[in-house]
Amino acid sequence: MTAGQGAGERGRSDHCLATIADEVGTPFYAYDLDRFRERIRTFEDALADVPHLTCYAVKANDALALLEVVAAEGLGADVVSGGELAKCLQVGIAPKTIVFSGVGKREDEIRAAVEAGIRSLNVESLEELEEIADAARRLGRVAPVSVRLNPDVAGGGHEYLATGGGASKFGLQRAEAAEAFRRAAAEAALDPVGISFHVGSQLLDMAPVLAAATPAAELWRELERAGIRLEDFDAGGGLGISYGAAEPDLPAYVDSLAEIAGGLDATLVLEPGRHLAGPVGTFVTRVLHVKQAGGRTIAVCDGGSNDLLRPALYGAEHPIAVLAGDDREETQVDVVGPLCESGDFLALGRGLPLPRRGDLIAVELAGAYGRVMSSTYNARPLCAEVVLEQGSWRVSRERGTYDDLVRNERT
Ligand code: LLP
């Protein structure tokens, strides 16, 4: 089930989700792998005329089932931890297509990345540059580095999603970035291969990225004049999806970026996460009971912000459907989870067909930053996951158990 479906299609997929709910229980995430492949291919088509490498931002959704599609489609990956790197290597994503852009990399994570022979470690400070050089020297290797520029441009659908502002923890200020390039060029254990930046996520207007791309291209040219020749111009991720408003125009964005990077003889690296994974996922939960309080109608569900944190954390408004509720009168409903937190909600005051006990609720556009931000708060095991592919479905992650909750604990 995905955004933009016709009524007939929607009816069929609702039926499928109801069958899955009966068999695996609730709550669960369902990912449409055909749709994921289609989004990847459309993205690649839009970039066909530009020398590029798409590095899927694994942080958006690191399910092995999705990563296998990423590998099969020949995409690279943007990772931010040793764990994400290990998962990518496990599914066979080529190391030479993996960029590592975590803001805080531990020494063992740096070592693993250098050993794996990834495309670039995206440097976040001068101290980190030293640490990478030390690790490379100890391993007798040359570490490819890309320097992350703090472009002093903020953008993002919520203040927590803006990462490019001057005082943000990400990247190096321009003068420091230039210094990092000089040091990397002078250090035998380092190879400066790229410049990177990422201004924020859930952008519906790509102007901030283009504003950041211009100084990045200037720095690239300045380095070239100083004899430092880079390969990758990495503009990060950030492409928003439509939780309500219109999505950015991908071909227009690619054209504008290509124009700025034009003449650099660069490989344009993009790190889309949400754009590829967001629309392919649906979170399904069951209504446990419906009550009235202070003039509000409240549907209490078995899945909440432990499973899908975005509404609570960012006030994100995901499209929601009450399955099989189409013929009911619409009313304003708070769709809430089972946690002992007033902030535990999936939607507040949403116009929906009046839910009833036992109904299934589908929260859409939940493929990105859903499962990856979930927790076992209130000792609720991680939910099940299923994938839909070519008209059938299968469980891709078993529901967590009470044993899982205590597996690594000692008293
Ligand atoms: N590259 C870098 C360096 C990033 O930090 C991010 C996201 C991406 C790429 C992918 O961005 P995307 O294409 O998905 O916008 N938890 C938040 C989103 C945080 C994004 C953090 N960085 C949410 O649920 O909206």
Side-chain angles (χ1 to χ4, degrees):
M1 171 161 62
T2 49
Q5 288 180 319
E9 247 178 291
R10 164 98 223 187
R12 270 199 305 283
S13 54
D14 285 4
H15 180 69
C16 173
L17 292 178
T19 306
I20 297 170
D22 286 344
E23 291 194 28
V24 307
T26 50
F28 64 88
Y29 277 101
Y31 305 119
D32 183 336
L33 295 188
D34 299 321
R35 178 100 163 110
F36 188 46
R37 237 174 246 115
E38 188 184 304
R39 289 193 71 82
I40 289 175
R41 290 180 187 172
T42 306
F43 193 82
E44 290 303 276
D45 282 350
L47 282 148
D49 295 336
V50 183
H52 76 280
L53 174 67
T54 302
C55 294
Y56 168 66
V58 175
K59 66 178 81 64
N61 189 322
D62 61 2
L64 289 179
L66 269 74
L67 294 183
E68 259 188 19
V69 174
V70 169
E73 292 295 313
L75 257 56
D78 161 44
V79 303
V80 293
S81 68
E84 287 189 354
L85 174 62
K87 288 183 116 175
C88 288
L89 296 175
Q90 184 184 332
V91 298
I93 295 176
K96 268 288 157 249
T97 65
I98 299 177
V99 299
F100 190 171
S101 45
V103 68
K105 310 174 191 69
R106 277 197 322 261
E107 196 260 331
D108 59 302
E109 295 176 306
I110 292 174
R111 196 171 355 105
V114 175
E115 262 175 336
I118 69 167
R119 185 179 192 87
S120 67
L121 288 97
N122 296 0
V123 175
E124 291 278 354
S125 71
L126 289 173
E127 288 187 0
E128 190 181 68
L129 187 75
E130 283 311 313
E131 173 121 25
I132 296 172
D134 285 347
R137 255 182 255 117
R138 277 197 298 273
L139 291 164
R141 304 279 287 263
V142 175
V145 291
S146 178
V147 175
R148 179 163 176 178
L149 178 68
N150 176 335
D152 200 7
V153 175
H158 182 278
E159 64 173 306
Y160 294 172
L161 306 186
T163 47
S168 104
K169 68 174 176 176
F170 300 98
L172 288 83
Q173 312 279 327
R174 196 186 187 288
E176 255 193 347
E179 173 61 18
F181 279 116
R182 276 191 292 277
R183 288 192 197 175
E187 166 58 65
L190 298 174
D191 181 16
V193 297
I195 187 162
S196 64
F197 53 94
H198 169 82
V199 304
S201 192
Q202 184 50 19
L203 301 172
L204 294 172
D205 172 4
M206 300 312 286
V209 185
L210 301 174
T214 305
E218 274 164 22
L219 179 54
W220 175 297
R221 291 200 179 87
E222 184 184 305
L223 294 165
E224 203 163 40
R225 285 193 293 276
I228 301 172
R229 173 89 196 93
L230 304 177
E231 289 153 40
D232 289 347
F233 188 81
D234 181 346
L239 280 157
I241 55 174
S242 178
Y243 297 93
E247 282 189 18
D249 179 342
L250 179 59
Y253 170 54
V254 171
D255 280 355
S256 309
L257 259 186
E259 200 177 306
I260 295 170
L264 298 183
D265 191 18
T267 298
L268 179 64
V269 176
L270 293 177
E271 303 170 352
R274 188 190 321 265
H275 176 84
L276 297 179
V280 313
T282 304
F283 176 64
V284 180
T285 176
R286 201 178 282 283
V287 177
L288 298 174
H289 52 99
V290 180
K291 61 203 263 189
Q292 306 288 326
R296 304 184 77 93
T297 299
I298 302 171
V300 181
C301 302
D302 61 4
S305 51
N306 53 315
D307 301 298
L308 179 60
L309 185 59
R310 304 196 69 260
L313 190 58
Y314 313 115
E317 297 191 346
H318 287 254
I320 288 194
V322 180
L323 302 195
D326 286 352
D327 53 349
R328 293 186 213 153
E329 191 191 327
E330 199 173 287
T331 186
Q332 302 279 308
V333 187
D334 291 351
V335 181
V336 308
L339 304 181
C340 305
E341 294 270 350
S342 296
D344 171 29
F345 57 85
L346 296 170
L348 293 180
R350 189 71 66 85
L352 290 174
L354 183 61
R356 295 180 193 150
R357 177 182 172 163
D359 278 348
L360 291 173
I361 299 240
V363 184
E364 298 187 45
L365 301 181
Y369 305 110
R371 59 114 61 186
V372 286
M373 293 171 70
S374 60
S375 75
T376 57
Y377 184 36
N378 283 192
R380 294 186 170 274
L382 294 180
C383 72
E385 295 190 320
V386 302
V387 290
L388 316 178
E389 196 170 28
Q390 310 209 328
S392 68
W393 64 274
R394 58 185 187 274
V395 173
S396 54
R397 183 178 76 180
E398 299 287 345
R399 184 175 305 288
T401 63
Y402 294 154
D403 282 345
D404 293 337
L405 293 178
V406 294
R407 192 169 311 286
N408 298 319
E409 280 198 54
R410 306 282 181 278
T411 53

